[in-house]
Amino acid sequence: MIDPGRRYPLPVSNPAGRVNSPSRAVVLAFLAVVLAGTSLLSLPIAAEEGQETPWTSALFTATSAVCVTGLAVLDTPAHWSVFGEVVILTLFQVGGIGIMSLSSILALIISGRLGLRARLSAQAETGSLGPGDIRQVILGVVGVTLAVETVTAAVLAARFMIGYGEPFGRALYYGVFHAVSAFTNAGFALFSDSMMRFVRDVWICLPLTLAVVAGGLGAPVYTVLRRHWRRPSRWSLHAKITLGMTAILLFGGALAITISEWNNPETFGPLSPGLRILAGFFHSAMTRSGGLNSVDTSQMHENSWLISDVLMFIGAGSASTGGGIKVTTFALLGYVILAELRGEPDVTAGRRRISEQLQRQALTIALVSVAAVVTGTLVMMMLTPFALDRVLFEVISAFGTVGLSTGITAQVGTAGHLVLTALMFIGRLGPVTLGAALALHVQTRRFRYPEERPLVG
């Protein structure tokens, strides 16, 4: 019988050659769904009559949907038919719930049982709290997803029907599509200007904002809240960090964006003070990986783009529908810096010591992500004529699976689209699979090298 509190040694080799890491199944599952989506979107029935869909555009759209990004090279309502829109909706719903979890369950059904190594890997990738909680977490994810999406869809459908005179069927369709898009942080919209026409409508912007925030918290947080929502003192450190950092980044980002764009005549300037605050709050939430926009992002000030870059790179919570390096990774790096500045021997957070292994994992994920963004930006600069600020925004948006754009997505050419497609795929799978691999790849040496102190700084 497995004791959850005991630390078992993990094998460092696999002589039998068996594929016992769900990480590989995750990548293959994502790739399979992307290719299936590409095939469906390439069909003539997926486009409006008279429209042709190039294979690269279908691949880009399918990847953007499965990786819940929202970048688009084609005008969603103008190019895609209802069939195509439903395919896109299905793709980002599947991507939002998480093929990581579904592939772990599939492996359990096929094999009949999971070995300890595979079980711990699935636990790391799904955000489960214990080796036996995988099924419970998945059911919880599905339950929370359907609950939030249903409530959001009902509010939006009622608003579209009452406020804009849409017939019941179309209002319900709009409500469901945008509710799922918001909770999964997909960033797709059935309006050519995204949500810009609703910038003055609280009943559209606020439900979408709350759904995006809810989708960015993650399964582990909901598990803790379900068990101990009345006792914050019993919340896990992960839940406390995620909720705290979410609030700080959400309201701090809203304040910074609102101040930056307050007098911009192309964005917040024509709005009343209250609506400017709403627009700033909306944009701040969408940089967490939401991807929708209520003002023209291409007309924002450059300093607003830089603020957005930072928020997009950090992203949302672990095991959530959001992307980025995750708020816990960012917070752990902050705790490491704080401990070093104070000269403390241990890194602590909430009266808990952070292991050196976890510190190295956070540092590795952050630096590898920086390298991916820098490399992607350099390649895009070589392929396109656009300035650094716009290219950097586009690259971070793709890697962080955000979906916001300064308006250059459709103009970067086929090679640029392929680069962005790769960044979306890597950005969605990279931090998750890398984190799981680092957590599992722990080796014990029977010796230590002599210590040396090279100069730092």
Side-chain angles (χ1 to χ4, degrees):
M1 182 176 179
I2 296 176
D3 181 7
R6 179 179 171 187
R7 297 187 65 181
Y8 293 87
L10 298 175
V12 295
S13 62
N14 186 14
R18 297 176 182 175
V19 180
N20 57 3
S21 174
S23 297
R24 300 176 187 177
V26 170
V27 175
L28 293 177
F30 258 86
L31 184 59
V33 176
V34 167
L35 294 178
T38 301
S39 300
L40 291 174
L41 293 177
S42 298
L43 297 175
I45 193 178
E48 293 286 0
E49 186 176 354
Q51 299 278 3
E52 294 184 2
T53 306
W55 184 84
T56 53
S57 298
L59 174 65
F60 187 97
T61 304
T63 305
S64 183
V66 175
C67 296
V68 290
T69 304
L71 289 176
V73 295
L74 300 171
D75 189 333
T76 300
H79 180 85
W80 301 109
S81 65
V82 174
F83 175 82
E85 293 169 356
V86 172
V87 169
I88 294 173
L89 169 63
T90 303
L91 292 176
F92 61 67
Q93 177 72 93
V94 171
I97 292 177
I99 300 181
M100 294 90 72
S101 303
L102 298 179
S103 63
S104 298
I105 295 178
L106 183 61
L108 179 61
I109 295 175
I110 293 176
S111 64
R113 63 183 179 89
L114 284 176
L116 178 61
R117 183 183 180 91
R119 187 180 292 273
L120 291 177
S121 182
Q123 173 190 345
E125 291 168 355
T126 59
S128 177
L129 300 179
D133 289 339
I134 296 176
R135 180 180 179 183
Q136 181 180 355
V137 168
I138 304 310
L139 293 176
V141 168
V142 174
V144 170
T145 299
L146 294 179
V148 176
E149 290 177 354
T150 299
V151 173
T152 307
V155 174
L156 293 177
R159 183 57 179 168
F160 283 127
M161 188 168 53
I162 298 174
Y164 297 93
E166 296 288 352
F168 175 78
R170 181 172 292 276
L172 182 62
Y173 177 57
Y174 282 165
V176 170
F177 188 98
H178 294 99
V180 177
S181 179
F183 182 79
T184 59
N185 283 219
F188 282 89
L190 294 178
F191 306 101
S192 298
D193 59 356
S194 189
M195 294 291 118
M196 289 173 56
R197 67 186 64 185
F198 305 112
V199 66
R200 293 176 171 83
D201 195 330
V202 177
W203 290 101
I204 297 292
C205 292
L206 192 57
L208 291 174
T209 300
L210 296 178
V212 167
V213 174
L217 293 179
V221 173
Y222 284 116
T223 301
V224 171
L225 293 179
R226 180 177 58 83
R227 294 175 177 176
H228 308 294
W229 68 277
R230 292 184 177 181
R231 298 180 180 180
S233 60
R234 302 190 63 180
W235 292 356
S236 66
L237 179 60
H238 170 81
K240 292 178 180 178
I241 290 177
T242 301
L243 292 171
M245 288 301 301
T246 295
I248 292 173
L249 293 174
L250 181 62
F251 291 100
L255 178 62
I257 290 294
T258 303
I259 292 175
S260 176
E261 294 295 316
W262 188 265
N263 292 318
N264 187 342
E266 301 298 330
T267 56
F268 290 13
L271 304 175
S272 65
L275 292 178
R276 295 181 194 183
I277 295 174
L278 174 64
F281 187 68
F282 186 90
H283 184 81
S284 178
M286 295 307 156
T287 58
R288 307 290 315 290
S289 198
L292 300 171
N293 59 286
S294 63
V295 296
D296 190 349
T297 310
S298 66
Q299 299 300 317
M300 282 184 161
H301 294 311
E302 293 180 357
N303 48 321
S304 298
W305 289 345
L306 181 58
I307 296 170
S308 301
D309 288 341
V310 174
L311 295 174
M312 291 190 297
F313 184 75
I314 297 173
S318 299
S320 73
T321 59
I325 64 172
K326 304 298 187 292
V327 294
T328 45
T329 303
F330 181 74
L332 288 181
L333 294 177
Y335 284 121
V336 170
I337 295 173
L338 185 60
E340 188 65 25
L341 292 177
R342 291 177 173 176
E344 297 178 353
D346 295 324
V347 177
T348 59
R351 297 184 180 180
R352 293 292 186 271
R353 181 171 56 86
I354 307 299
S355 69
E356 294 182 359
Q357 178 188 349
L358 195 59
Q359 298 173 38
R360 292 195 297 268
Q361 291 173 21
L363 182 61
T364 302
I365 290 174
L367 291 182
V368 170
S369 299
V370 169
V373 169
V374 171
T375 303
T377 302
L378 178 61
V379 173
M380 290 292 289
M381 289 288 292
M382 297 171 62
L383 295 175
T384 67
F386 299 106
L388 174 61
D389 49 6
R390 292 181 181 270
V391 172
L392 180 63
F393 190 101
E394 201 81 8
V395 168
I396 295 179
S397 180
F399 180 80
T401 66
V402 178
L404 294 174
S405 174
T406 58
I408 67 173
T409 307
Q411 306 173 41
V412 297
T414 301
H417 291 158
L418 293 177
V419 172
L420 292 178
T421 300
L423 285 170
M424 290 188 288
F425 195 82
I426 295 172
R428 180 61 178 168
L429 297 179
V432 175
T433 54
L434 178 59
L438 293 174
L440 290 170
H441 190 68
V442 180
Q443 298 184 1
T444 302
R445 290 184 181 272
R446 298 183 181 275
F447 64 92
R448 300 183 70 182
Y449 292 107
E451 183 178 303
E452 186 63 57
R453 290 181 173 271
L455 295 178
V456 176

